Amino acid sequence: MARAVVRAEVDHGPAELVGDPDRPQGWTLLVSGTAQSHVDLDDPTHLEFEYVRRLAHVADLVAPEAHPLRVLHLGGGAWTLARYVATTRPGSVQQVVEVDGGLVDLVRSRLPADGMGIDVLVGDARAALTRVAPGSVDLLVLDVFAGARTPAHLTSAEFLAAAARVLAPAGVYAANVADGGALPFARTQVAAALARFPEVALVAAPDILRGRRFGNLVLVAGTELPVAGLTRRAAADPFPARVLADDDVRAFAGDAKGPADRAATPSPQPPPGFFGRPR
């Protein structure tokens, strides 16, 4: 069965919405050939990407079930996680910050989220943080990619300090970190979080942690993390993941240092074909 494809030019290159042959209202968003999001308009709780399911586990465990959250999403894509939170926690106050205004227009027109209470701001993620009131966010999610790489100004110790400033006392920071091989970039991100937050955890597939493939790791940080619940949920996923915390996550960071702004780098370029068109 042929899949529907919607093509448009957005600010950061050509965008495509590719229909999911198995889900009548399922769509994968690609920008410049890189898969950014998958959404199912009929069922916003369906999460196709492994790392998004892990971010959803964090959202599920931040507060008691169905309790509304104050969520700041840095990086928009097709607003997959925001739709999930709106469905599972009605009344949540959510803002999505997306730098690509053309992409926002495309998603609004083709994948509408009317009535879900999702506020979308066009702007730079780090600049947006400066305008957020201290202590006003329960969950801050970083999932920003320029092409297939997280920009350098969102990988520094100063950025993490700005993120920590907006979190409520029990708030949680969660970031999508892409890396491979010996995971040198991921280690610097964990080190930066360990220097800023009392508790840090890392969620990833075992083969990624062993350096066997490039992929997504979810970094979680805060004052008191739900590590036991996160471990259970990650282990029960269709593609199980490990959770590193306490001594294990410190051992993972090793002697890595969180980079200052002047030394920060983007996340590594993924191998050819990774994050690519859905099959």
Side-chain angles (χ1 to χ4, degrees), residues 3 5 20 48 50 52 97-98 155 176 190 242 248 272 275 279:
R3 292 175 294 185
V5 179
D20 185 334
E48 191 79 12
E50 294 173 35
V52 179
V97 181
E98 169 59 55
T155 70
N176 175 22
V190 170
R242 287 183 59 199
D248 290 335
F275 296 150
R279 295 184 180 184

Side-chain angles (χ1 to χ4, degrees), residues 89-174:
R89 294 179 178 271
S92 292
V93 177
Q94 300 191 83
Q95 183 171 75
V96 174
V97 181
E98 169 59 55
V99 73
D100 192 320
L103 179 59
V104 170
D105 290 341
L106 174 65
V107 173
R108 277 181 173 148
S109 64
R110 295 288 184 167
L111 306 175
D114 299 341
M116 301 189 87
I118 301 170
D119 176 42
V120 183
L121 171 69
V122 176
D124 175 76
R126 185 154 168 187
L129 273 182
T130 66
R131 299 188 291 273
V132 177
S136 65
V137 174
D138 298 315
L139 175 62
L140 193 163
V141 179
L142 174 68
D143 190 13
V144 175
F145 285 86
R149 307 177 74 183
T150 302
H153 71 302
L154 304 178
T155 70
S156 69
E158 289 90 340
F159 166 74
L160 266 187
R165 180 188 68 85
V166 306
L167 288 178
V172 173
Y173 169 78

Side-chain angles (χ1 to χ4, degrees), residues 8-124:
E9 283 294 326
V10 297
D11 299 353
H12 287 79
E16 294 177 288
L17 291 172
V18 180
D20 185 334
D22 299 319
R23 308 187 75 87
Q25 287 297 312
W27 296 88
T28 299
L29 168 68
L30 299 95
V31 179
S32 297
T34 298
Q36 301 277 356
S37 304
H38 179 281
V39 297
D40 186 335
L41 299 180
D42 286 339
D43 180 9
T45 67
H46 173 78
L47 304 174
E48 191 79 12
F49 293 175
E50 294 173 35
Y51 85 88
V52 179
R53 284 198 292 273
R54 290 162 193 160
L55 289 170
H57 295 330
V58 176
D60 288 343
L61 295 167
V62 164
E65 186 176 351
H67 190 281
L69 295 177
R70 298 167 295 175
V71 188
L72 177 60
H73 304 264
L74 301 181
W79 320 336
T80 306
L81 188 64
R83 297 169 195 264
Y84 175 88
V85 171
T87 303
T88 58
R89 294 179 178 271
S92 292
V93 177
Q94 300 191 83
Q95 183 171 75
V96 174
V97 181
E98 169 59 55
V99 73
D100 192 320
L103 179 59
V104 170
D105 290 341
L106 174 65
V107 173
R108 277 181 173 148
S109 64
R110 295 288 184 167
L111 306 175
D114 299 341
M116 301 189 87
I118 301 170
D119 176 42
V120 183
L121 171 69
V122 176
D124 175 76

